[in-house]
Amino acid sequence: MTLVLRLTSGARTIEPAEAHAMLSRRAGLPGAYGWDQAAHVLRALEAEGVGAIALLPLALPTSWMVNAKATSRTFRAWLTPRWHAAFEGVLAALDPSQPWPDLDGARIQGFVEELARAPGAGLAALTKVLALLRPSLVPLMDDSALAVTLGAVPLPETDNEPAAGPEHFTPMMDWFHRELARNERALVDLARDHTEAVLEPAQVLDRVLWYVSFGHRHFPPG
């Protein structure tokens, strides 16, 4: 089945072969490949009973593998009591057994805004951690993704200086989960057939969105 994404530029139709090529090309990038493997290990550890908050110290540096701009100083701040409590709260509120519309979005948004107050923090860096620990719910929220889906920020020339603030978290979650529901069958098929990593349908949508919004720049025509 085809994917149809509703973007600010209009509906973008992606045939299965094209989507598979996007996923495969992305998996050829060392950082993206390693990040996908790490996300699966973290998911397996949580399934075995390790609490997500206990995995946070592992997820923080792993986020660098997909170009997170938070520094080790930000990671240290997130592990101190004030922000560690906020991480514990947001991970509990982002219950992966429940769909996004059934969760307490206002409470989650409050935790996100608190975490974004840490020195050097930003929405992109924060979601590159949350997407490791809540892969069925949270996509990466780089400026490029926000630009093509919500028109919330200008489309950046590079991904080196993300500027979007936490106020875009809930609108992006709403967009992402609407598209996830609309394209469920196609995403399930793509996840099943992808061989380079174990992905959930939400992760497939996240990777395709990255490719469409910015990732294609890594792969010049020909």
Side-chain angles (χ1 to χ4, degrees):
M1 293 185 63
T2 59
L3 285 172
V4 182
L5 304 183
R6 291 175 293 184
L7 307 175
T8 55
S9 59
R12 170 72 184 269
T13 300
I14 304 171
E15 297 297 332
E18 183 183 7
H20 281 299
M22 292 176 178
L23 295 173
S24 182
R25 290 171 189 155
R26 178 190 171 280
L29 299 174
Y33 181 83
W35 194 79
D36 285 350
Q37 308 310 308
H40 180 57
V41 170
L42 292 169
R43 177 170 49 221
L45 287 171
E46 189 169 3
E48 291 175 4
V50 181
I53 192 63
L55 299 172
L56 178 61
L58 301 179
L60 293 175
T62 301
S63 69
W64 279 333
M65 299 183 79
V66 285
N67 207 27
K69 298 306 178 184
T71 70
S72 55
R73 294 179 185 275
T74 305
F75 295 162
R76 186 185 186 283
W78 276 338
L79 291 172
T80 57
R82 171 183 172 181
W83 287 294
H84 189 270
F87 252 117
E88 189 169 18
V90 78
L91 290 170
L94 285 165
D95 181 353
S97 70
Q98 301 295 323
W100 166 250
D102 292 346
L103 299 179
D104 188 343
R107 186 164 182 261
I108 293 167
Q109 179 67 36
F111 286 128
V112 167
E113 291 176 2
E114 173 64 11
L115 289 164
R117 295 187 182 101
L123 182 62
L126 176 57
T127 56
K128 289 176 183 185
V129 177
L130 291 176
L132 284 164
L133 298 172
R134 290 293 179 261
S136 65
L137 288 170
V138 181
L140 304 186
M141 298 189 189
D142 286 295
D143 284 11
S144 54
L146 297 171
V148 303
T149 58
L150 306 177
V153 297
L155 186 66
E157 290 298 320
T158 75
D159 60 355
N160 292 324
E161 297 180 353
E167 67 273 13
H168 302 300
F169 179 84
T170 295
M172 183 60 183
M173 289 288 283
D174 290 342
W175 180 92
F176 185 81
H177 285 275
R178 283 195 301 268
E179 297 305 296
L180 185 62
R182 291 179 63 251
N183 291 280
E184 181 178 11
R185 284 188 59 192
L187 293 167
V188 168
D189 290 345
L190 289 166
R192 180 196 62 214
D193 296 336
H194 184 60
T195 59
E196 285 94 343
V198 178
L199 299 180
E200 299 183 37
Q203 292 174 295
V204 172
L205 177 57
D206 174 64
R207 276 68 167 158
V208 169
L209 178 59
W210 171 81
Y211 194 100
V212 168
S213 63
F214 190 87
H216 61 276
R217 303 184 194 188
H218 291 278
F219 309 98

